[in-house]
Amino acid sequence: MNDLGRLRVRDLSVTFRVPGALVRAVSEATFEVRPGRCLALVGESGCGKSVLAHALLGLLPANASVRGRAWLTCGEQPAEPVELIGAPQAVLAGKVRGRAIGLIPQSPATHLTPVRTARAQLREAVRELRSHATADELAARFGLRPEELDRYPHELSGGMAQRVANAIALAGDPWLVLADEPTGGLDRSLVDRTMATLRELCDEGRAVLLITHDLRAAERVADDLAVMYAGRLVETGPVAEVLGRPRHPYTAGLVAAQPDRAFVPVPGLPPELTRLPPGCAFRPRCGRHTERCATVPAMDGGVACHHPLGGRHA
């Protein structure tokens, strides 16, 4: 794989205009995904993780407004990065989707054509994207037997449908894989197998942006971690550091909620994205908040918090 690839995202914001309200789904997200590395984006359901991924591919509905920038550099255009935000659909469809970026979608059953077998759909992806691998080879990588490819989507279990979607995402030999909850509906053994495959992709020189709420899976496969709360990144850094010594109170709450830890849920509920509280959105759930938290904290040293853990609680 080409070692010049990189995804850079700067101040990416996504809002949706709905009747009587504005949904602030993503707010000023900044991060990079580099070759040979996996960045895991974690957070509670509804915090904007999937919206961010779809914004990069131009797959948002017409009522979405996207600001900020995202550049993709890969082997085909090493000197001229592709600007993803605002790119024409012809560019995204012809150069990016499936070719430079492969998407493993959430709820894969809704992405499969119901009247065609899994084999037919995987073969079509192989043909259109000019893959060097066969449908059976791609399927085998995710634990699918050849006879399972001859089933229609309604005959597939949720786990099988997820594995078909995973195989289709790799058909074009993409440099970057956006994996949106790729382990949904899978038992633990298949979760481990899928995570191992994503790790192999990184070890081959590709990059992976993993969207998940499974901290155990993220810890196994990721190099770097980005924690999102109410549409905003609140902590970033190497996965071992973030999970081993969390500095944001929300990150600490996610870690403590794991079965192998205190198994205590984060108190309270996330705010509605149409009615975000002023300042730090985590303030209503945080026992460390002060008057300073009425202003939005900047990302400083990998944490966006006025009173990070390990620092002075003023």
Side-chain angles (χ1 to χ4, degrees):
M1 301 299 297
N2 192 286
D3 62 0
L4 295 175
R6 179 167 296 193
L7 172 68
R8 293 178 295 161
V9 177
R10 295 290 180 271
D11 298 322
L12 180 64
S13 298
V14 182
T15 57
F16 296 94
R17 178 67 64 180
V18 297
L22 185 68
V23 180
R24 293 178 172 85
V26 179
S27 298
E28 300 176 343
T30 295
F31 60 90
E32 289 191 3
V33 186
R34 292 176 287 163
R37 299 185 72 82
C38 172
L39 171 65
L41 181 61
V42 303
E44 292 166 295
S45 296
C47 70
K49 304 186 300 294
S50 295
V51 170
L52 189 155
H54 287 182
L56 297 175
L57 292 172
L59 296 176
L60 297 177
N63 66 331
S65 175
V66 184
R67 302 193 316 276
R69 302 193 68 184
W71 304 269
L72 178 71
T73 305
C74 55
E76 294 181 2
Q77 317 91 348
E80 297 182 7
V82 176
E83 172 61 70
L84 299 177
I85 306 305
Q89 288 297 314
V91 172
L92 294 173
K95 294 184 177 181
V96 178
R97 297 181 195 138
R99 293 172 171 82
I101 302 178
L103 173 65
I104 297 177
Q106 192 175 20
S107 302
T110 63
H111 287 74
L112 297 176
T113 304
V115 296
R116 303 180 65 206
T117 66
R119 181 183 300 281
Q121 296 181 63
L122 187 50
R123 279 180 172 172
E124 180 181 31
V126 166
R127 181 178 63 255
E128 292 297 322
L129 298 173
R130 300 177 182 177
S131 175
H132 297 296
T134 67
D136 285 350
E137 289 170 343
L138 289 168
R141 190 163 196 176
F142 287 96
L144 283 165
R145 298 189 302 272
E147 60 270 22
E148 291 172 332
L149 290 181
D150 295 319
R151 299 179 185 179
Y152 289 90
H154 73 275
E155 298 175 314
L156 300 172
S157 67
M160 286 182 184
Q162 182 69 68
R163 283 178 277 164
V164 171
N166 295 355
I168 290 174
L170 290 184
D173 194 28
W175 171 81
L176 171 66
V177 175
L178 297 186
D180 190 357
E181 299 287 2
T183 59
L186 303 183
D187 61 30
R188 177 49 61 179
S189 64
L190 288 174
V191 168
D192 291 343
R193 180 167 184 164
T194 299
M195 290 298 101
T197 299
L198 294 178
R199 186 64 250 172
E200 288 172 5
L201 296 178
C202 293
D203 294 341
E204 293 168 0
R206 295 176 177 83
V208 172
L209 175 56
L210 171 64
I211 296 171
T212 184
H213 61 272
D214 187 340
L215 291 187
R216 177 179 169 185
E219 187 173 24
R220 172 171 178 175
V221 70
D223 301 286
D224 307 296
L225 197 70
V227 182
M228 178 174 274
Y229 183 76
R232 190 178 292 275
L233 296 183
V234 297
E235 187 165 2
T236 61
V239 63
E241 292 184 13
V242 174
L243 296 182
R245 296 183 297 277
R247 301 191 63 209
H248 197 284
Y250 176 61
T251 308
L254 290 180
V255 172
Q258 297 305 298
D260 59 344
R261 299 296 180 92
F263 207 28
V264 177
V266 182
L269 295 173
E272 297 179 17
L273 296 180
T274 55
R275 298 194 305 176
L276 292 176
C280 175
F282 190 62
R283 179 175 52 157
R285 305 173 72 182
C286 182
R288 297 170 63 85
H289 71 85
T290 67
E291 292 182 359
R292 287 184 63 193
C293 303
T295 61
V296 177
M299 183 70 75
D300 183 13
V303 61
C305 181
H306 291 302
H307 311 295
L309 300 171
R312 184 173 62 87
H313 185 189

